[in-house]
Structures are given as C-alpha cells and as structure tokens.
C-alpha cells in the first residue's frame, strides 16, 4: 500500500473513531440528597444537575409519579403524604449508557402544633398559655399588640391592658426546615380588679 493511501486511510480511521467516541460517551445520574418535610408541604428533588455527560439530551421518568408536579422533568416538585422513595430513570439514546436509575427518599414527618383554645381574660390579668408542639421544634409566639413573657416557649405568660381581641400566632419550626403556624384569639374584657403578676 502506498504511503499516501495509508495516510488517507489512517486519517479516515481516526476521524471515524473520534465520531464514534463522541456518540458513545457515557453519562451519570444524580437524584440529589434526601429531603425532610412536614406533611402537606413540598420539596424539589433531583440532582444539580440530575444527569450530565453523554449527549446532553435526556429523557426522565420518575416513579412513583402520582405525588410529583411532573414525572418527566429533571427536578420535579414532590408533595408526598408519607415517606416515599423515588426512582429516576434517565435515558440517553445517543450514548452507550442506555438507561440508568438512582433513588432518593423524601421523609415526611406528621408534625403537629396547637396554640390552644381561644379564651377570655380580664383587663390586667396574666394567664399562662399552653401551646403544643414536638420537643424537637423551635417555637415563637408572634404577638404584635400585647405583652407575652417567655415567648420562645410553649407556655408563655400573656398580659394585656388593651380591651378587645388579641390574635396570637404560634410559629413552630421543625428539623428539615418546615414551618407550621396556629392562631389563638384572646378577648380582653373590662375589669376594675387589681392583679399582681
């Protein structure tokens, strides 16, 4: 074989191998880290990005898909009612990887909170509130128009000289970042009684 023909053949071989290598690149899949949410809230799942490498044209299929905003996108919003493990199947038809899958779990906590029952107090009277929330929560009472002592506990003391209704908001933050709220209304009625705190 003449050297000129060999060089042409060798160049064509390298070119074809280069094209073949480009179309058979494998890809990787990442479903992201596990999530912790409160029941009734949502979180976005999937990696950042969920797939990379390969041709860059991916087809996504998340299972189960009934609690997802869209089971065919890379990062759907999940709103499960109970702890759920999701599997994402990613296909890249232009790569040698074919279809790959990986799982991620969303842990759902059925946290509860309760600010207590609405009540009526006399003007100048101090009462102790009795909120309820799990021990691993961080609580705070938001009380714009009255006085509450120890408002970052479940049992603060309420005091008001202002007649009318006070709306108190119990805010409870749980591990994983979800926040729940509950309201309590206290009606303050006129009184000439003398109260000592």
């Amino acid at each position: 074989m003449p050297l000129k023909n060999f060089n042409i053949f060798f160049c064509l071989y390298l070119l074809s191998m280069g094209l073949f290598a480009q179309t058979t690149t494998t890809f990787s899949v990442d479903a992201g880290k596990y999530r912790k949410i409160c029941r009734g809230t949502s979180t976005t799942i999937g990696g950042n990005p969920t797939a990379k490498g390969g041709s860059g044209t991916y087809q996504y299929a998340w299972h189960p898909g009934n609690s997802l905003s869209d089971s065919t996108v890379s990062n759907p919003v999940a709103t499960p009612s109970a702890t759920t493990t999701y599997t994402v199947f990613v296909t890249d038809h232009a790569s040698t990887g074919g279809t790959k899958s990986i799982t991620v779990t969303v842990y759902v906590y059925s946290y509860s909170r309760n600010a207590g029952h609405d009540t009526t107090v006399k003007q100048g009277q101090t009462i102790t509130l009795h909120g309820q929330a799990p021990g691993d929560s961080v609580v705070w009472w938001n009380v714009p128009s009255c006085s509450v002592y120890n408002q970052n506990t479940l049992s603060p003391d309420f005091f008001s000289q202002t007649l009318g209704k006070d709306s108190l908001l119990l805010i409870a933050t749980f591990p994983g970042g979800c926040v729940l709220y509950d309201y309590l209304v206290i009606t303050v009625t006129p009184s000439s009684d003398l109260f000592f705190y």
Side-chain angles (χ1 to χ4, degrees), residues 36-65:
K36 294 180 180 180
I37 64 171
C38 289
R39 180 174 291 152
T41 61
S42 301
T43 187
T44 300
I45 58 175
N48 184 21
T50 301
K52 63 182 176 181
S55 70
T57 305
Y58 312 111
Q59 180 180 357
Y60 299 94
W62 288 87
H63 296 283

Side-chain angles (χ1 to χ4, degrees), residues 36-38 109 111 134-138 173-178:
K36 294 180 180 180
I37 64 171
C38 289
Y109 294 96
Y111 288 124
D136 56 354
S137 61
V138 177
T173 303
F174 300 92
C178 65

Side-chain angles (χ1 to χ4, degrees), residues 90-166:
V90 183
T91 303
D92 184 355
H93 297 290
S95 80
T96 57
T99 299
K100 295 184 177 182
S101 65
I102 195 168
T103 63
V104 63
T105 301
V106 178
Y107 296 93
V108 179
Y109 294 96
S110 55
Y111 288 124
S112 62
R113 75 283 175 254
N114 186 349
H117 298 293
D118 294 349
T119 189
T120 301
V121 299
K122 295 179 180 179
Q123 184 179 19
Q125 180 183 6
T126 299
I127 63 168
T128 300
L129 304 179
H130 300 286
Q132 296 176 349
D136 56 354
S137 61
V138 177
V139 298
W140 180 262
W141 293 85
N142 185 8
V143 285
S145 62
C146 59
S147 296
V148 172
Y149 304 101
N150 301 317
Q151 65 191 104
N152 61 340
T153 68
L154 287 170
S155 300
D157 291 331
F158 168 87
F159 169 83
S160 181
Q161 288 282 14
T162 305
L163 299 177
K165 293 186 177 184
D166 287 307

Side-chain angles (χ1 to χ4, degrees), residues 3-87:
L3 183 60
K4 182 177 180 183
N5 289 344
F6 177 79
N7 286 341
I8 292 173
F9 176 79
F10 186 71
C11 288
L12 289 173
Y13 173 77
L14 291 177
L15 179 62
S16 67
M17 290 307 292
L19 291 174
F20 179 77
Q22 289 178 0
T23 59
T24 59
T25 305
T26 60
F27 65 101
S28 61
V29 178
D30 178 14
K33 295 179 69 174
Y34 69 89
R35 302 285 195 272
K36 294 180 180 180
I37 64 171
C38 289
R39 180 174 291 152
T41 61
S42 301
T43 187
T44 300
I45 58 175
N48 184 21
T50 301
K52 63 182 176 181
S55 70
T57 305
Y58 312 111
Q59 180 180 357
Y60 299 94
W62 288 87
H63 296 283
N66 56 343
S67 58
L68 300 176
S69 58
D70 186 343
S71 63
T72 63
V73 298
S74 61
N75 296 97
V77 175
T79 313
S81 59
T83 297
T84 303
T85 297
Y86 296 95
T87 303

